[in-house]
Amino acid sequence: MKFSKVVALAALVSVGPTFAADKHDHAHEHESMHGGVVVEVKDLDLELVAKPEVIQLHLRDHGKPVDVANGSAKLTLLSGANKQDVELRPAGDRLEAKGSFKVGAGTKLVAVVTLPGKPSTTARFTLK
């Protein structure tokens, strides 16, 4: 009787990691829809599209666009020894800033997103 319990326990222990290692898509994709870099934070997908003249931040909650009409974001760009702080404002269905930005490969960006009625969200990006 003890032997059968040991075998059953061993079977459960070996099967558990198999299920945990299974692909977790959480019923939504984390793919780029606008050609940017996507990061997930608290079931929120943040897609950063960074170009030398414009930076856009698209937000999706479970694949659906988030209303950013009253939102904002503060973005810090770190490129080598250079640091640049940028304020993103609503522009249609995204947060956006226009100007001159150093956004080459390897640039690191930290975004602090503020939406009404929700705690602020911090996301980190690295451009490829």
Side-chain angles (χ1 to χ4, degrees):
M1 185 120 161
K2 285 185 178 185
F3 179 74
S4 63
K5 288 182 181 179
V6 169
V7 170
L9 180 61
L12 284 174
V13 168
S14 66
V15 172
T18 302
F19 287 116
D22 191 19
K23 186 176 179 181
H24 289 78
D25 67 358
H26 303 288
H28 61 281
E29 295 294 324
H30 304 289
E31 295 180 5
S32 171
M33 296 177 73
H34 305 280
V37 179
V38 179
V39 172
E40 181 188 20
V41 179
K42 301 178 187 174
D43 283 333
L44 193 66
D45 288 344
L46 295 95
E47 181 177 356
L48 181 76
V49 179
K51 298 177 183 175
E53 69 283 348
V54 66
I55 295 179
Q56 300 173 335
L57 188 61
H58 299 266
L59 286 77
R60 294 187 303 271
D61 186 1
H62 291 93
K64 296 179 181 147
V66 173
D67 180 16
V68 295
N70 295 312
S72 66
K74 292 182 181 178
L75 194 67
T76 301
L77 291 85
L78 302 169
S79 179
N82 298 323
K83 177 182 174 184
Q84 186 176 9
D85 292 318
V86 179
E87 186 80 21
L88 279 68
R89 295 285 179 202
D93 63 346
R94 65 193 172 274
L95 298 172
E96 182 176 274
K98 293 184 179 181
S100 178
F101 309 106
K102 295 185 181 192
V103 290
T107 299
K108 297 184 186 311
L109 302 99
V110 178
V112 179
V113 180
T114 305
L115 297 171
K118 296 185 179 186
S120 63
T121 301
T122 302
R124 290 168 176 74
F125 300 89
T126 301
L127 299 182
K128 297 178 183 178

